[in-house]
Amino acid sequence: MIFTVDHFQISIPAACAARKHSDKTFRPRSHTIGPTLNGLSDPKAFESTSISNDRPGKCECFDLYKDLVPYGKAWSWQRRIVSDKMTLIERKQDCPDTLIILQHHPVYTLGTGSSEEYLNFDIKNAPHDVYRTERGGEVTYHGPGQVVLYPIINLRNHRMDLHWYLRALEEVVIRVLSTTFSIKASRLKGFAGVWVACSTSP
């Protein structure tokens, strides 16, 4: 495995949810962590993402957290980014990691091993779009008010260990919840992900 494309999501207050954007007006905005990377300031980056950098270990960030992006469009974009990165690697060129931050219109996604029995509706008469994706896990709902982060990581630049990667993602979420929102979160033995204790009081 060279690349891992995964996601995690954080709910934000409804007041922060963005207005709807049509397919015609959607254009990703990007900024980088570290020196500027070639090809990232192109406003047409969505149509053709070509990335190179002078030193490994850099990360590009497409910050669309206020935008509602159709799931199919975001999924296609991620595949193009992975394809471009694979080409750079075949050419022995360095490529940065990528982080995409956005929201989706209401959508359900099913991981590779998921079962339709976990859907609370008939898939032939679904209330929203349903996608079966390459990720692991069961059914997930995405919608306005949830900020979804998609890291696209070349593990050869870090550690070739999927379990390490998943624990690192969990640690990021735990630290963000603690430092930014003063929410205490932790791991739960035997389960993947980050967990927050829920109060049963009214």
Side-chain angles (χ1 to χ4, degrees), residues 66-169:
K66 292 183 178 179
D67 294 321
L68 288 176
V69 181
Y71 185 85
K73 180 165 283 193
W75 191 17
S76 175
W77 183 27
Q78 291 172 71
R79 287 175 164 178
R80 292 181 202 176
I81 291 174
V82 169
S83 177
D84 287 346
K85 290 179 185 294
M86 294 293 290
T87 299
L88 290 174
I89 288 174
E90 288 170 3
R91 295 174 181 170
K92 308 294 185 187
Q93 294 178 275
D94 291 325
C95 64
D97 293 329
T98 299
L99 178 64
I100 301 171
I101 307 171
L102 47 71
Q103 298 180 54
H104 287 305
H105 296 280
V107 64
Y108 293 93
T109 62
L110 293 84
T112 53
S114 63
S115 171
E116 293 179 10
E117 69 183 51
Y118 289 103
L119 294 172
N120 293 324
F121 52 81
D122 181 352
I123 196 169
K124 295 178 181 177
N125 190 28
H128 305 294
D129 289 341
V130 178
Y131 287 86
R132 189 171 288 280
T133 72
E134 303 99 329
R135 69 168 175 80
E138 278 292 346
V139 177
T140 303
Y141 168 81
H142 302 289
Q146 293 178 343
V147 176
V148 184
L149 291 81
Y150 291 103
I152 303 174
I153 306 295
N154 182 352
L155 291 182
R156 290 181 178 175
N157 290 337
H158 302 278
R159 187 183 302 176
M160 291 289 286
D161 183 336
L162 184 57
H163 293 288
W164 167 84
Y165 171 68
L166 293 175
R167 301 295 82 79
L169 281 184

Side-chain angles (χ1 to χ4, degrees), residues 34-50:
T36 301
L37 304 177
N38 297 331
L40 295 180
S41 59
D42 181 2
K44 295 184 179 179
F46 180 85
E47 284 79 14
S48 176
T49 306
S50 180

